Amino acid sequence: MTNDADVALGIEAARRLAHLGLVDIQPGLTDAEFATIERRFGFEFADDHRAFLAAGLPVWTPGQDDHPDKASWGWPNWRQLDSSSTLHEQVDWPLATALDEIQHGEWPPGWSRRPHDLARRMAKAKRLLADVPRMVPVYGHRYLPAGRGSSGHPVLSIHRLTDTIVYGNDLAHYIDQEFREPRVTVPLWRDYV
């Protein structure tokens, strides 16, 4: 069940993004579009993420989304389900990178002993990863966990399993961190930032 605070967080994040005037924002996703996306990818959006995308669908940030490489995946355009291999790569990235690193020897510290045999290790990793919430792209390599009835999770920047950092305490804070220019108050140095 969605609660008003969860929805308010997503709407506040959308308001902050729109207020910056830096992003091309299309009309928000409809309930039918959410249902199609969730069915296609096998996850449900968290409540704040759903409210954010229902308020308006960000699709392009001039200057930041102009380069066709993974470093600049940009906003996932959830309306291009069939025509965008980039969207599928972006959705699959957290799981793919985790499995790649596990295949090459990484093993999450919270998991039990790592099998020495590669086939057993990969089978065990896939079983354990099936119990971890899917990560859903917000922008570029920034992700929120999936899960209807959840909200307020930190936005994670996931470049690799071993290169994951918090990029915002929640969706609204993330918008400020990623897109708002910091106000530097130190004389001399502010001219060089």
Side-chain angles (χ1 to χ4, degrees):
M1 179 166 163
T2 304
N3 96 34
D4 292 342
D6 298 338
V7 171
L9 180 60
I11 291 170
E12 175 59 19
R15 186 197 65 75
R16 289 181 189 187
L17 185 63
H19 180 73
L20 292 171
L22 300 172
V23 177
D24 180 14
I25 300 174
Q26 295 178 354
L29 295 174
T30 65
D31 287 341
E33 287 173 314
F34 279 115
T36 300
I37 295 163
E38 291 173 342
R39 201 170 33 256
R40 172 72 54 88
F41 289 109
F43 64 74
E44 291 184 320
F45 287 94
D47 296 343
D48 53 349
H49 198 178
R50 174 183 279 273
F52 174 76
L53 295 171
L57 178 65
V59 293
W60 184 65
T61 304
Q64 291 188 351
D65 298 343
D66 296 336
H67 308 287
D69 61 3
K70 282 186 180 142
S72 62
W73 270 338
W75 298 101
N77 190 335
W78 297 106
R79 289 194 173 111
Q80 295 182 347
L81 295 181
D82 295 323
S83 63
S84 175
S85 63
T86 301
L87 175 61
H88 291 270
E89 288 174 20
Q90 196 173 8
V91 169
D92 293 341
W93 179 256
L95 183 59
T97 190
L99 288 172
D100 182 60
E101 286 199 26
I102 289 167
Q103 181 175 358
H104 290 94
E106 183 62 36
W107 193 252
W111 288 0
S112 59
R113 290 183 39 185
R114 179 183 85 131
H116 293 289
D117 177 73
L118 179 60
R120 284 193 172 105
R121 179 175 48 214
M122 296 309 292
K124 184 174 184 176
K126 288 175 183 175
R127 278 193 315 274
L128 292 169
L129 285 168
D131 293 334
V132 174
R134 292 277 305 271
M135 299 304 290
V136 180
V138 175
Y139 176 81
H141 285 270
R142 314 302 189 248
Y143 291 83
L144 278 171
R148 186 72 56 87
S150 69
S151 178
H153 294 285
V155 174
L156 301 180
S157 176
I158 303 173
H159 282 277
R160 303 289 301 163
L161 181 61
T162 56
D163 185 7
T164 300
I165 61 172
V166 173
Y167 228 75
N169 298 332
D170 58 37
L171 190 53
H173 181 247
Y174 160 72
I175 295 299
D176 291 340
Q177 294 295 106
E178 183 83 57
F179 298 102
R180 191 178 299 276
E181 290 290 325
R183 194 173 137 230
V184 180
T185 58
V186 181
L188 175 68
W189 301 109
R190 70 177 158 228
D191 297 330
Y192 293 94
V193 172

